[in-house]
Amino acid sequence: MTIPDSVSPSSSLAALEARLAQDLAYLGWPARNWMPARQAAGGETMIDVAIIGGGQAGLAASVALAQLGIRAVIFDRSPAGSEGPWATTARMETLRSPKELTGPALGLPALTFRAWFEAQFGLEAWTALDKIPRLQWMDYLVWYRRVMNVDVRNGMAVTAMQPLPDAAGVRLELRFGDGERSSVLARRLVLATGRDGLGGPAVPAFVNALPRSKWAHSSDEMDYGRLRGLRVGVIGAGSSAMDSAATALEAGAHSVELLIRRPDLPRVNKGKGAGVPGLTQGHYDLPDELKWRIRHYINVLNVPPPHGSTLRVSRHPNAFFNFGCPVLSVEPKGEGMVVSTPRGDFEFDFLIVSTGFKVDWPNRPEFAAIAPHVRTWKDRFTPAPGDEDQELADSPDLGPAFEFKERSPGECPGLARIHCFCYPAALSHGTVSGDIPAISDGAKRLASGIASLFYREDFDQHWAYLQEFAEPELFGDEWTPALPPQERNR
């Protein structure tokens, strides 16, 4: 319902938080900690689960683990409130997902974005809302972290990870914002590192002809105000390309030319058509060829940019959509460049490449100790001729709890203690490890898998505890033993 004038948004939000706290108490969430304390050989205390990344995937993973009585610590290199892309590199005006999706709420109505929004702005405002503003989603995640008491250590970048020789855990090397260094031990490690979780931007080779000051990837942090008055080229036509083009135009670019390889924009989001509970829950159990078929089909057809994002560009008279324009070459020219395409040459002052991301282990030195040993799909599966797909081939081959597998068994003991809960898990598990629609399903799968692995590993301790358990239900004085029937009437 709409918030009455006499009720402030802050008091309504406080009421929601009280409702959430009561729901958590009813559910016993977080659950009792049942994990045996562990120390390394030298006596160093071990964290049960360390999570790299405090965005929505890391938050959801931590909260799902807490529901099962497993404590996690999140390490994020960004300042508090800047985790993930929302307040930094994302440039869309609103989220692309429908506002009704419950995201990382993990089945708790009071933890949904809608509950948070209505508590402050009312039902009428929710009804009028088309899609969720990007920065408002960040505000919601900040609130989510607070009310769920998630342990996030900000300003701490992971510089290295090394499974222990006895396969009992993973050592993380950390660098603080002031340059100080430290290390921690964790029994298990979760990589909640986002879209570029195992690599970075896919940068086309043609930009090598340009000074770095003359081009950017759409995921780069950049002041678009520097593009004022410039002729800007944007390579690509996906969502990020539209967002970058629109941001450049709104910053006062002289013109923006989108160079689009395809003869037309895709019209249908096939990924949305795949988003049914059966696939969400069943993708991992599909045969390899069916997993590949689905993901390759979506990759080939591409996801169209959102309707609103495209209009945000096309409403500018100095925006130009150039189809059938793959880049043939790029050459510097004076203070700018010439980009050659089959439809002619374009002169630009600055170039933005919106060419997606890729698995790129060398780009992530923190993975150096494990990268050579991770089994990928190209080690597991050979697609039919014509169905080759580099993105899929480079994807890690993951176990049921998102754990890495060794390319050669025995070469990297403890590798399976590292869980890949980021976008490159999509081929093995479906899109449950980063995107809003099924992030709760993925977090619950991850948490239940880790709980099972911990119990199996600690079975002897749990067995000993079971045998020693002596809390009585009865004390022996709750009844009086009956006399034999023949003695009762004497």
Side-chain angles (χ1 to χ4, degrees), residues 96-385:
R96 296 157 189 153
S97 302
K99 66 179 182 180
E100 294 82 8
L101 295 178
T102 57
L106 294 162
L108 294 166
L111 192 58
T112 59
F113 175 87
R114 177 174 180 174
W116 174 83
F117 183 92
E118 285 191 14
Q120 299 171 92
F121 309 109
L123 178 58
E124 289 184 11
W126 171 260
T127 302
L129 184 69
D130 177 26
K131 291 189 175 179
I132 299 170
R134 167 177 56 86
L135 293 178
Q136 199 165 51
W137 182 254
M138 185 73 243
D139 292 341
Y140 160 71
L141 292 177
V142 170
W143 174 82
Y144 180 110
R145 166 183 170 173
R146 176 174 64 81
V147 295
M148 296 307 290
N149 196 30
V150 183
D151 188 352
V152 183
R153 316 284 175 87
N154 288 99
M156 301 180 74
V158 176
T159 59
M161 61 190 67
Q162 178 66 64
L164 300 183
D166 58 3
V170 181
R171 179 171 292 281
L172 299 180
E173 301 294 335
L174 302 168
R175 184 183 65 245
F176 301 82
D178 59 5
E180 183 181 349
R181 294 180 180 271
S182 182
S183 69
V184 297
L185 284 175
R187 293 185 63 185
R188 291 193 173 270
L189 173 64
V190 173
L191 307 180
T193 43
R195 190 79 179 181
D196 59 343
L198 300 181
V203 178
F206 56 70
V207 300
N208 294 334
L210 301 174
R212 189 63 178 87
S213 60
K214 292 296 181 179
W215 69 272
H217 189 271
S218 56
S219 65
D220 290 344
E221 288 193 53
M222 186 180 79
D223 176 13
Y224 272 58
R226 63 186 280 206
L227 304 182
R228 182 175 184 82
L230 300 186
R231 300 165 298 171
V232 177
V234 175
I235 310 300
S239 299
S240 295
M242 293 298 168
D243 297 335
S244 294
T247 305
L249 290 160
E250 291 159 3
H254 173 273
S255 60
V256 171
E257 304 266 3
L258 289 101
L259 304 187
I260 304 166
R261 175 175 50 85
R262 291 170 173 267
D264 197 359
L265 292 180
R267 307 299 172 90
V268 177
N269 183 351
K270 293 290 187 176
K272 186 183 294 186
V276 298
L279 183 62
T280 298
Q281 304 302 330
H283 181 97
Y284 183 79
D285 296 319
L286 288 174
D288 289 355
E289 58 270 20
L290 298 188
K291 289 182 180 181
W292 190 281
R293 182 194 299 177
I294 289 172
R295 297 307 311 166
H296 179 61
Y297 178 72
I298 293 172
N299 280 355
V300 168
L301 292 184
N302 276 3
V303 175
H307 177 73
S309 298
T310 308
L311 290 176
R312 185 183 169 200
V313 177
S314 63
R315 69 182 178 219
H316 293 270
N318 53 337
F320 304 93
F321 291 69
N322 301 281
F323 294 98
C325 281
V327 174
L328 300 178
S329 66
V330 177
E331 297 293 338
K333 181 179 179 181
E335 292 297 310
M337 71 200 73
V338 175
V339 177
S340 297
T341 78
R343 294 190 58 196
D345 294 343
F346 295 82
E347 293 194 12
F348 300 128
D349 302 304
F350 194 84
L351 191 66
I352 300 172
V353 292
S354 182
T355 43
F357 302 95
K358 65 178 181 178
V359 173
D360 183 9
W361 296 103
N363 191 52
R364 303 292 287 267
E366 67 268 33
F367 298 140
I370 66 170
H373 307 292
V374 173
R375 178 179 166 90
T376 63
W377 269 75
K378 60 178 169 280
D379 302 313
R380 166 180 181 146
F381 179 76
T382 302

